[in-house]
Amino acid sequence: MMKNYFLLLLVFPLFVQAQTVEFESSITADLSAYSGTASFAGLGEYEIFPDFVDGILDKPIILVDGFDPGDTRDINGLYSLLDFTGTSGAQNLADLVRAEGFDVVVLNFPQYLRLSDNTLLNVDDATDTNADMVIDELDYPGSTLIDGGADFMERNAMLLVELINTLNANKVGEEELVIIGPSMGGLISRYALNYMENQTLDHETRLWISFDAPHHGANVPLGFQHQFNFLAFGLGEDLNVAELQPVVNGLLKSSAARQLLVDHLEPHLASGSDVEFDPTKLLPEPHPFKVIFDTNINSLTPTGFPQNTRNVSIINGSGIGSPYKAKDGVTNVTPGFTVIDDTFNVPDAPLPTTAQIGVNLTPATVDGSQLISKILVEANFFGTITIFDIEVNAQAPSFSDGVDAASGGLFDLGGFTDGLGSEGLVGDFIAALQIDKFNFIPSVSAMALESTNNEINWYHNINLSNDSTEDTTNSTPFVNWYMPTDNENHVQLTEANVLFALDEIMPETLSNSEFDNVATLKIGKNPIDHELLILSNSTISDATISLIDITGKLVYNTTNTTLSSRTTIPLNLDSGVYVLNIENKEGISYKTKIAVK
């Protein structure tokens, strides 16, 4: 049932051909805390894309798959996630690093069957034994279908541990790994590195890049969750919108979604009901699985983050609190925003039937309890007959307005609606929506900002140079970061954040140990645009500041400058990478690289 190509790495360590390697983890994650969950080793697959220089597996960069219900992204699809458009046209981050001698290793979590004898079978290798055109448990009686891309993060983390050990055992030379974790892959890789450090297993990883990962959780507006669940399962057999059922079961109720979402529909359900909300449960509430996962990942290391790596973050949410826009591209989305309020004809109903649909984002704190979901279904039979009249309210906590309208990496609603078609009630619903994206990974979550008593202000003004007296502080576990001004699509690569990633992946040796005794300096945003922001924990007088381009040419120089806690320097430079040198009056230098967009 298993394909195992590890021996190929042992026989041909100096020249790796790209091929898919399927493997099981040798370590089984303990999932016993999750009620009714079996603990067993997972199944993963990876492919090594050798560098373009010598083809030797000697400088591996691992790209870890994120949230992917149904395994819609295969390994080549994951590779293409690194596409971006820059001043030179269409490019790919993986291609760029391979040209510099790095090997890219893509880890995917496929769908597989756990058979009655506890062996694992990749769905791609399974046979449609009952000829119903679907590969599922019916083809293998007694089996269980595991959706790897939406499975428990701990199980997938053990697959990454296995891959790390395999690469370190078979690579040529002593180069340490780089791990890039986009989206949920950021949590999976964080858990794997934490686990290895907890178990004193050397992960030999020098750099971990968290790419728009939900360290405090992800968000799907609760109004959407209620609507999709009720329309899929609550209308009755004749009226249920069957097209929405896979969205609810495969996405919203998946193990990973239960671990990720800061507000999950299931804790809001009334006792004994699968669709009706309890009107007394107004405040945001995560699924119990999220509480368990947060405890698990934070208990492995003193900070809850890997200690023996350089930890940096790329986020797609605005770093200055900019709101995101409605579908018209002009209107700011605010707490309580009306997403849809319209009436539709219900096709195929036994009687002429209409459905009034209303969805609002979670409200501001000051507005108290407000409507977030409304479904009014009426039939016309010698008068109006009310079939359903459902209204659901929600309330923001005292310490933050509702998360839905906060800055963050944006989820394209097409991810929910792809494949649902444009006809009938679903098509009318999609067309009437006033937003086409929503805040999926809040900026505060992607930066993992510390909070007091777990009271996270999703609208916290991120200002990492100053302390804060708010419930959410400005303390982050990351030593460097890229934050855009405007909200971007979740895990969107741009020329600016690619420059940041390349600067981290291919660092120039710049020693600042002597300067560290004088002051701690940080670049406020990197890459920069038209100004350089220098953050310092103490005042530095009579400093000399210079910039040198990659050809060694001095392009900026100023003397007798006083650096305070925040010093802004206007610049007008071409796009590229530069070495910044700051020298104090005693001649002690601080050097770092900056990228200009």
Side-chain angles (χ1 to χ4, degrees), residues 224-498:
F224 275 133
Q225 295 187 55
H226 174 264
Q227 285 276 328
F228 291 160
N229 188 51
F230 199 95
L231 294 175
F233 298 104
L235 298 178
E237 187 173 347
D238 293 334
L239 295 177
N240 282 340
V241 183
E243 297 92 335
L244 289 173
Q245 292 174 0
V247 174
V248 175
N249 289 333
L251 194 155
L252 294 177
K253 292 185 178 180
S254 67
S255 301
R258 289 168 169 167
Q259 291 182 304
L260 288 170
L261 293 180
V262 298
D263 197 6
H264 193 272
L265 71 96
E266 289 179 288
H268 290 272
L269 293 174
S271 178
S273 176
D274 292 329
V275 293
E276 295 179 3
F277 273 29
D278 184 335
T280 67
K281 295 183 176 181
L282 298 172
L283 292 172
E285 187 172 351
H287 193 281
F289 282 10
K290 184 179 188 302
V291 178
I292 295 170
F293 177 78
D294 288 346
T295 300
N296 287 349
I297 196 170
N298 288 316
S299 65
L300 294 169
T301 60
T303 65
F305 285 78
Q307 307 294 289
N308 302 326
T309 55
R310 177 174 170 83
N311 303 332
V312 303
S313 177
I314 297 172
I315 75 173
N316 292 115
S318 170
I320 60 172
S322 299
Y324 63 97
K325 303 295 183 180
K327 188 188 287 186
D328 62 13
V330 176
T331 306
N332 288 339
V333 174
T334 55
F337 185 87
T338 299
V339 174
I340 187 171
D341 185 9
D342 215 332
T343 302
F344 311 98
N345 293 320
V346 179
D348 304 323
L351 297 170
T353 304
T354 60
Q356 182 183 347
I357 303 295
V359 176
N360 299 323
L361 299 185
T362 48
T365 300
V366 296
D367 292 330
S369 175
Q370 295 290 318
L371 181 75
I372 61 164
S373 179
K374 176 181 179 64
I375 303 172
L376 175 62
V377 181
E378 296 178 322
N380 188 358
F381 183 68
F382 297 107
T384 301
I385 302 172
T386 299
I387 301 174
F388 293 102
D389 187 0
I390 308 296
E391 292 190 354
V392 172
N393 280 27
Q395 183 174 336
S398 61
F399 50 82
S400 175
D401 290 340
V403 63
D404 297 340
S407 300
L410 303 177
F411 187 98
D412 192 325
L413 276 168
F416 278 143
T417 59
D418 279 351
L420 298 181
S422 58
E423 304 297 325
L425 181 59
V426 172
D428 293 340
F429 178 91
I430 295 169
L433 291 171
Q434 299 303 301
I435 63 172
D436 53 7
K437 298 178 175 67
F438 61 80
N439 163 30
F440 183 46
I441 310 296
S443 299
V444 169
S445 179
M447 285 302 299
L449 295 187
E450 288 185 4
S451 62
T452 304
N453 299 323
N454 201 34
E455 294 184 346
I456 300 171
N457 177 11
W458 303 111
Y459 298 82
H460 176 74
N461 180 22
I462 300 176
N463 181 349
L464 293 170
S465 65
N466 296 326
D467 292 330
S468 173
T469 57
E470 299 182 40
D471 294 320
T472 305
T473 73
N474 286 314
S475 178
T476 176
F478 299 108
V479 299
N480 203 7
W481 49 80
Y482 174 81
M483 294 183 287
T485 299
D486 297 318
N487 298 289
E488 302 169 344
N489 285 347
H490 176 51
V491 295
Q492 175 185 340
L493 282 181
T494 64
E495 187 168 45
N497 60 30
V498 166

Side-chain angles (χ1 to χ4, degrees), residues 557-568:
N557 188 67
T558 184
T559 59
N560 300 321
T561 300
T562 297
L563 298 181
S564 57
S565 61
R566 293 172 62 88
T567 304
T568 300

